[in-house]
Amino acid sequence: MKILITGAAGFIGFNLAKYLLKKNYDVYGIDNFDDYYSIPLKKKRLSILKKDKKFIFKDLDIVNKKKLELYFDSINIDVIVNLAAQAGVRYSLENPTKYIDVNVLGFINLLKVAKKNKIKKFLYASSSSVYGESTNFPLKEKEKLNPKNIYAISKKLNEELAEMHQQICNIKFIGLRFFTIFGEWGRPDMFMLKLFKAHLTKDVFYLNNYGNHLRDFTYVGDAVESVEKLIKKKFNKHEVFNICSNNPINIYDVVKNFKKKFNLKIKLVEMHKADILKTHGCNKKLKKCIKKLNYSDFYKKLYQTFDWYKKNKIHKL
Ligand SMILES: NC(=O)c1ccc[n+]([C@@H]2O[C@H](COP(=O)([O-])OP(=O)(O)OC[C@H]3O[C@@H](n4cnc5c(N)ncnc54)[C@H](O)[C@@H]3O)[C@@H](O)[C@H]2O)c1
């Protein structure tokens, strides 16, 4: 099976590509090396993927409709996994238009080429942030959506566009509501890598909302395993899945656990306007569909990720 991953030099894209290559899929990757965070980190991820002959990469921007069409004329793929996006809720207050350009217009470009090229299946990244500030935990997929920032709105719109398109073409769409994914080759703008960096560089670690957030941390290995199973599974209609471990963890506890072992200068700060207090997804629908029963132990994977971070000197990239 030939699979195209957009955002292949990104955190989840890289991990998914690596996992699929190991399982002998032909993997096509595109990415535009957006400068939202370290380009050397993205290049490093890509250099690992390029060691495998079954990985074919193209530097391409999904917003560039003409080039995207030409690219699709040159390949013949079965499945698209769209992970290219402007990620991050906090940055959405600084640069809102970028979320419309990449996450909405780029997404529409992909829908058009997918339809024209008769792609069979189209999986796309949504986000836990579509739920907004909810209280009905654990959040089920059918819960009312209440996006709180333009990032979350762009993801909700992706789900609505997919729903609309399934009625006018034969593509099977699958929405992936990722919940705080963490692990090796992670994102430097996210909590865990910021924590590791602050320790290694002896900088201050800013603990938002005094650590009173809860996040349903989900190990990237579990996430990509789930995505691969969803790629293989047959669907009759557009489906959306929470990709989560159903295990909310208090950020303050994580920091406390880390600080017991390693030096850390902490500054407590108030809640960021774009943040939500708690994420906790129900993963029953996913578990039932793909028969995945076990999820990784959070603290084991946290320290495994820290070992990877130190070994690869990620704070210097
Ligand atoms: N990591 C998480 O916890 C999480 C949670 C919820 C949703 N998501 C979503 O999952 C997807 C992947 O997230 P990630 O954490 O790997 O983010 P990431 O930023 O590491 O990966 C996204 C990749 O897309 C690329 N990209 C950006 N704009 C592009 C464009 N116009 N054309 C081509 N490539 C472009 C970037 O260069 C980057 O490599 C995103 O859609 C994100 O919104 C992630």
Side-chain angles (χ1 to χ4, degrees):
M1 200 189 286
K2 292 180 180 166
I3 299 174
L4 170 67
I5 301 176
T6 72
F11 169 36
I12 303 175
F14 161 79
N15 277 284
L16 178 65
K18 210 163 134 246
Y19 187 82
L20 294 179
L21 288 166
K22 227 189 221 168
K23 295 220 157 219
N24 254 329
Y25 289 88
D26 290 317
V27 181
Y28 291 71
I30 59 174
D31 203 292
N32 72 340
F33 299 102
D34 178 88
D35 64 359
Y36 169 60
Y37 67 79
S38 167
I39 293 174
L41 173 59
K42 293 182 182 181
K43 298 255 168 172
K44 197 145 190 203
R45 293 181 184 130
L46 194 70
S47 70
I48 295 170
L49 296 178
K50 278 188 167 168
K51 286 182 190 148
D52 193 314
K53 287 198 183 77
K54 292 191 306 305
F55 180 71
I56 301 165
F57 182 76
K58 175 108 180 139
D59 185 338
L60 191 64
D61 186 338
I62 60 164
V63 178
N64 191 328
K65 197 172 148 215
K66 274 260 141 1
K67 285 197 176 156
L68 195 65
E69 281 171 353
L70 285 173
Y71 175 65
F72 267 78
D73 287 344
S74 72
I75 57 168
N76 186 9
I77 50 149
D78 305 296
V79 177
I80 295 176
V81 185
N82 179 39
L83 301 173
Q86 176 54 55
V89 288
R90 291 180 189 161
Y91 185 63
S92 70
L93 298 189
E94 277 172 54
N95 195 352
T97 50
K98 205 166 160 208
Y99 290 77
I100 301 301
D101 290 344
V102 184
N103 302 8
V104 181
L105 299 179
F107 188 78
I108 291 174
N109 288 342
L110 281 167
L111 290 177
K112 281 188 185 155
V113 286
K115 186 166 172 252
K116 187 174 163 222
N117 291 273
K118 299 189 169 53
I119 301 301
K120 296 183 191 87
K121 208 166 186 183
F122 189 122
L123 295 90
Y124 63 94
S126 180
S127 164
S128 61
S129 63
V130 294
Y131 293 111
E133 203 70 90
S134 187
T135 47
N136 201 11
F137 299 113
L139 296 160
K140 296 201 176 74
E141 284 83 352
K142 56 178 191 270
E143 181 73 26
K144 192 174 176 294
L145 305 185
N146 188 18
K148 206 179 144 182
N149 51 60
I150 200 156
Y151 168 72
I153 290 170
S154 73
K155 294 294 182 182
K156 181 170 179 269
L157 196 53
N158 285 178
E159 294 187 6
E160 284 165 3
L161 287 165
E163 180 66 23
M164 197 181 95
H165 266 72
Q166 71 146 1
Q167 287 154 25
I168 54 166
C169 61
N170 281 325
I171 305 170
K172 298 290 171 271
F173 290 97
I174 306 295
L176 310 162
R177 287 183 188 157
F178 291 117
F179 280 63
T180 316
I181 309 299
F182 76 98
E184 294 88 346
W185 299 99
R187 262 175 40 206
D189 63 319
M190 291 178 73
F191 160 75
M192 205 171 281
L193 265 59
K194 281 185 180 166
L195 181 74
F196 300 158
K197 185 173 184 183
H199 162 69
L200 289 175
T201 58
K202 300 185 172 61
D203 284 343
V204 171
F205 176 71
Y206 291 92
L207 184 54
N208 278 286
N209 194 29
Y210 315 98
N212 289 323
H213 282 88
L214 285 118
R215 289 290 176 267
D216 193 348
F217 285 101
T218 306
Y219 181 58
V220 69
D222 292 326
V224 299
E225 183 194 338
S226 303
V227 175
E228 194 261 344
K229 288 191 163 132
L230 291 171
I231 288 172
K232 282 194 301 201
K233 188 102 189 154
K234 268 203 171 11
F235 290 97
N236 296 322
K237 61 176 182 65
H238 178 212
E239 294 283 358
V240 173
F241 291 92
N242 288 338
I243 309 289
C244 62
S245 54
N246 183 24
N247 180 27
I249 294 182
N250 183 281
I251 300 276
Y252 185 78
D253 290 343
V254 181
V255 174
K256 207 167 70 181
N257 188 294
F258 186 81
K259 197 175 156 47
K260 264 193 208 154
K261 301 178 173 63
F262 306 101
N263 291 331
L264 191 67
K265 280 187 258 172
I266 302 173
K267 187 167 178 350
L268 301 171
V269 288
E270 57 186 42
M271 186 162 159
H272 191 284
K273 274 187 219 137
D275 282 357
I276 48 172
L277 268 178
K278 177 176 175 179
T279 64
H280 178 195
C282 169
N283 58 11
K284 269 194 191 151
K285 181 178 174 184
L286 180 72
K287 277 178 154 177
K288 191 171 168 210
C289 175
I290 61 170
K291 305 200 170 28
K292 177 173 165 58
L293 299 175
N294 299 319
Y295 284 81
S296 305
D297 177 77
F298 173 73
Y299 281 105
K300 186 172 163 223
K301 291 301 179 188
L302 171 96
Y303 289 110
Q304 185 179 306
T305 306
F306 185 44
D307 288 343
W308 155 81
Y309 189 89
K310 284 185 290 188
K311 187 174 158 224
N312 290 278
K313 299 186 172 49
I314 299 297
H315 59 294
K316 295 196 170 155
L317 289 179

